[in-house]
Amino acid sequence: MSKKQLNRVSCPQCSRMVDDRAPACPFCGEKIYVVSPGGITPTKHPPLDDDPNDSDTPSNTEPLN
């Protein structure tokens, strides 16, 4: 069984190669930013409507007990 190579990116601070899914570099701690990690297809969702006057939103909500 072959081991799959992880997608690697260069750390912007120390330039060492790190996993593109890491939140931070394990060597220096710098945050790692990628547009979309390898093997993951980004999904586009329609924007949320934040209109407080929207008629579909209940005007009075009672807490659930």
Side-chain angles (χ1 to χ4, degrees), residues 52 54-62:
D54 187 2
S55 63
D56 291 340
T57 306
S59 60
N60 58 354
T61 57
E62 296 183 22

Side-chain angles (χ1 to χ4, degrees), residues 3-58:
K3 190 174 187 180
K4 183 179 179 189
Q5 177 68 30
L6 296 175
N7 294 314
R8 312 285 272 171
V9 293
S10 177
C11 171
Q13 180 67 31
C14 70
S15 300
R16 293 174 92 172
M17 297 305 287
V18 298
D19 182 5
D20 71 344
R21 293 169 285 179
C25 176
F27 305 104
C28 71
E30 180 73 13
K31 290 183 180 179
I32 303 297
Y33 296 98
V34 293
V35 174
S36 71
I40 298 176
T41 303
T43 303
K44 299 272 186 181
H45 296 281
L48 296 175
D49 183 16
D50 293 335
D51 184 3
N53 298 321
D54 187 2
S55 63
D56 291 340
T57 306

